[in-house]
Amino acid sequence: MAQVQEEVQLLGVGGSPFVRRIQIALKLKGVHYTYIEENLRNKSDLLLKFNPIHKKVPVFFHNGKPLAESLVILEYIDETWENYPIFPQQPYEKALARFWSKFIDDKCLPAISKAAWTVNKEEREKGIEESLQALQFLENELKHKFFGGVNINIVDIAASYLAFWLPLVEEAIGLKFLSSGKFPKLYKWSQEFINHPIVKANLPPKEGILGFFKSRYAALTTASK
Amino acid sequence: MAQVQEEVQLLGVGGSPFVRRIQIALKLKGVHYTYIEENLRNKSDLLLKFNPIHKKVPVFFHNGKPLAESLVILEYIDETWENYPIFPQQPYEKALARFWSKFIDDKCLPAISKAAWTVNKEEREKGIEESLQALQFLENELKHKFFGGVNINIVDIAASYLAFWLPLVEEAIGLKFLSSGKFPKLYKWSQEFINHPIVKANLPPKEGILGFFKSRYAALTTASK
């Protein structure tokens, strides 16, 4: 249970889909928190001290106790603040939600990353194929407005990247995934998700992210010439 | 809660550390189950039907409902059968246990795999360095007899590979990790763990695993010549 006087802090960078997961969950639950912007090009002592293993954001602090890894933080948040549950209540449905969140992190995002940011043409083609396959599994899994049903749940939050960041990647690199017409349910979901009032209010400005992806792609294609 | 009449089945292969995780947890909790041996060289319809995404073992069935991914299955087991809890009860300690289990799967085991089974010398050296670093983090984290304290918990179960399989990898490939003398606490833990009566009764015969690792290494070094 949440304590009466409590301190909630989040160390992050504005453009990170993993940090946004935490912000969306906290906002859905109405938990007040202090946000601390990290500089990943010159990592702070705070980051290096409290996430010495991964040296990545988000790092979450509850009454001074640190936690890293976004899916781990999301489970903690859901167990600590009961308002607006983001995990299903029944063990089997909860396990499936964990399975799909893990699938997004372990299979779907690495495949997209390989498709988008690999110089080697063969690897890149393999990445595209794996991405389409992973998105198809999610397309088949989507039975309602959200993965969570009528409400956003952990799987929707874990899939934030697909709804908001992926279209910007597509624009930057000239490949089509969500907008290919192959995944109509997933595309519709992405629109519902980014237009959900709390999600919408907690996404970064598009221009910065798109600019970052364009530069990254330019650097990549220049390097490979 | 577990139902009065229930059916628990596990699809696995005898040598898999991921399948053994489930067997150890079920035995610790005293849950009766039926074991079905899979053939990974000629995957069964059961495997392909119920784990179409990863096509890997373990696949766990509770009253016919399938689940894949060992850490997901372990959480489900702990939420379903309360006897001998394998996760801490407090949200923060529970989150840390999830963090370390995830660390073992995401960082530690892939590093060891890279160190042991990579042909490219540079990649292999990098794998060795990453393995030593990952083991050092675990060494620092180990404060008691087990990661779980006086009892085995999820982190110990997730780390099974390090206690039983890693020494056999070391023997097969002629590299030293746990037996290097650099990780005295982890080494002591590994002995406590494999000699715990329930763990001991649920490990595969050493010879088969060692033979498999030796063949794998021979094939690798032959291929690289």
Side-chain angles (χ1 to χ4, degrees):
Chain A
M1 288 295 89
Q3 294 170 22
V4 178
Q5 278 202 320
E6 58 186 0
E7 196 182 27
V8 179
Q9 292 163 303
L10 176 66
L11 183 64
V13 298
S16 161
F18 301 100
V19 174
R20 294 287 167 178
R21 288 175 174 180
I22 311 302
Q23 294 178 282
I24 291 168
L26 291 172
K27 283 290 173 186
L28 284 171
K29 286 178 174 285
V31 177
H32 295 285
Y33 68 96
T34 308
Y35 177 76
I36 309 161
E37 181 75 14
E38 174 61 35
N39 179 0
L40 291 181
R41 287 186 188 152
N42 182 18
K43 294 183 179 180
S44 69
D45 291 343
L46 200 64
L47 177 62
L48 300 176
K49 181 172 175 189
F50 291 110
N51 191 4
I53 295 182
H54 303 291
K55 301 181 182 72
K56 284 180 181 169
V57 288
V59 183
F60 180 78
F61 300 89
H62 186 202
N63 297 325
K65 289 182 183 170
L67 273 182
E69 296 284 75
S70 66
L71 295 183
V72 172
I73 297 169
L74 288 168
E75 290 236 27
Y76 175 79
I77 287 173
D78 206 41
E79 285 172 3
T80 305
W81 293 279
E82 290 182 349
N83 184 36
Y84 197 107
I86 56 172
F87 278 88
Q89 301 303 294
Q90 295 303 314
Y92 186 70
E93 283 65 35
K94 200 169 184 177
L96 291 182
R98 287 191 184 111
F99 175 87
W100 286 109
S101 310
K102 190 171 159 52
F103 170 75
I104 289 166
D105 274 10
D106 292 357
K107 294 285 168 187
C108 193
L109 302 189
I112 292 170
S113 178
K114 203 200 278 187
W117 314 121
T118 307
V119 173
N120 180 288
K121 203 186 156 196
E122 215 168 291
E123 270 297 287
R124 194 178 166 83
E125 291 298 328
K126 208 175 146 196
I128 293 171
E129 195 189 316
E130 287 170 5
S131 300
L132 295 173
Q133 198 177 36
L135 293 172
Q136 188 63 55
F137 278 123
L138 289 172
E139 173 83 3
N140 299 346
E141 182 56 21
L142 195 53
K143 308 273 175 16
H144 306 284
K145 182 178 173 185
F146 295 117
F147 287 99
V150 291
N151 288 322
I152 287 173
N153 84 351
I154 178 69
V155 184
D156 298 286
I157 295 173
S160 301
Y161 179 91
L162 304 179
F164 182 78
W165 283 262
L166 180 56
L168 303 175
V169 171
E170 296 186 16
E171 190 177 337
I173 69 171
L175 273 179
K176 289 192 174 188
F177 293 106
L178 260 202
S179 58
S180 65
K182 288 177 185 162
F183 312 108
K185 289 195 290 174
L186 209 51
Y187 180 78
K188 190 163 177 288
W189 161 84
S190 75
Q191 299 308 304
E192 297 279 8
F193 184 75
I194 58 173
N195 286 304
H196 180 289
I198 284 187
V199 174
K200 199 171 185 171
N202 282 283
L203 291 173
K206 271 190 182 176
E207 300 65 34
I209 310 286
L210 181 61
F212 171 76
F213 287 151
K214 281 184 173 171
S215 315
R216 188 173 176 186
Y217 190 62
L220 191 81
T221 46
T222 311
S224 68
K225 274 174 191 164
Chain B
M1 288 294 88
Q3 295 171 21
V4 178
Q5 277 203 320
E6 59 186 0
E7 195 183 28
V8 180
Q9 293 163 304
L10 176 66
L11 182 65
V13 297
S16 162
F18 301 100
V19 174
R20 294 287 168 178
R21 287 176 174 179
I22 311 302
Q23 295 178 282
I24 291 168
L26 290 173
K27 282 290 174 186
L28 284 171
K29 286 178 175 284
V31 177
H32 294 284
Y33 67 96
T34 308
Y35 177 77
I36 309 162
E37 182 76 13
E38 174 60 35
N39 179 1
L40 290 180
R41 288 187 188 151
N42 181 19
K43 294 183 179 181
S44 69
D45 291 343
L46 201 65
L47 177 63
L48 300 176
K49 180 171 177 189
F50 291 111
N51 191 5
I53 296 182
H54 302 292
K55 303 179 182 72
K56 283 180 182 171
V57 288
V59 183
F60 180 77
F61 300 89
H62 186 201
N63 296 325
K65 290 182 182 172
L67 273 182
E69 295 285 75
S70 66
L71 295 183
V72 172
I73 298 169
L74 289 168
E75 290 236 27
Y76 175 79
I77 287 173
D78 206 40
E79 285 171 5
T80 304
W81 294 278
E82 290 182 350
N83 183 37
Y84 197 106
I86 56 171
F87 278 87
Q89 302 303 295
Q90 294 304 313
Y92 186 69
E93 282 66 34
K94 198 169 185 177
L96 291 181
R98 287 192 182 111
F99 175 88
W100 286 109
S101 309
K102 189 169 159 54
F103 170 76
I104 289 166
D105 275 9
D106 293 356
K107 295 284 169 189
C108 194
L109 301 190
I112 291 169
S113 179
K114 203 200 280 186
W117 315 120
T118 308
V119 173
N120 181 287
K121 203 187 158 195
E122 215 168 287
E123 270 297 288
R124 194 178 166 82
E125 291 297 329
K126 209 175 145 196
I128 293 171
E129 195 190 314
E130 287 169 6
S131 300
L132 295 173
Q133 198 177 37
L135 293 172
Q136 189 62 55
F137 278 122
L138 289 172
E139 173 83 3
N140 298 346
E141 182 57 19
L142 195 53
K143 308 273 173 16
H144 306 284
K145 182 178 173 185
F146 295 117
F147 287 99
V150 290
N151 288 322
I152 286 174
N153 85 351
I154 178 69
V155 184
D156 298 285
I157 295 172
S160 301
Y161 179 91
L162 304 179
F164 182 78
W165 283 261
L166 181 56
L168 302 176
V169 170
E170 297 185 18
E171 189 176 337
I173 70 172
L175 274 178
K176 289 194 172 188
F177 294 106
L178 261 203
S179 57
S180 64
K182 288 177 185 164
F183 312 108
K185 288 194 291 174
L186 209 50
Y187 180 78
K188 190 164 177 288
W189 162 84
S190 74
Q191 299 308 303
E192 296 279 8
F193 184 74
I194 58 172
N195 285 304
H196 181 289
I198 283 188
V199 174
K200 199 171 184 170
N202 283 282
L203 291 173
K206 271 191 183 176
E207 301 64 34
I209 310 286
L210 181 60
F212 171 76
F213 288 151
K214 281 184 173 171
S215 315
R216 188 173 175 186
Y217 190 63
L220 191 82
T221 46
T222 311
S224 69
K225 271 174 192 163

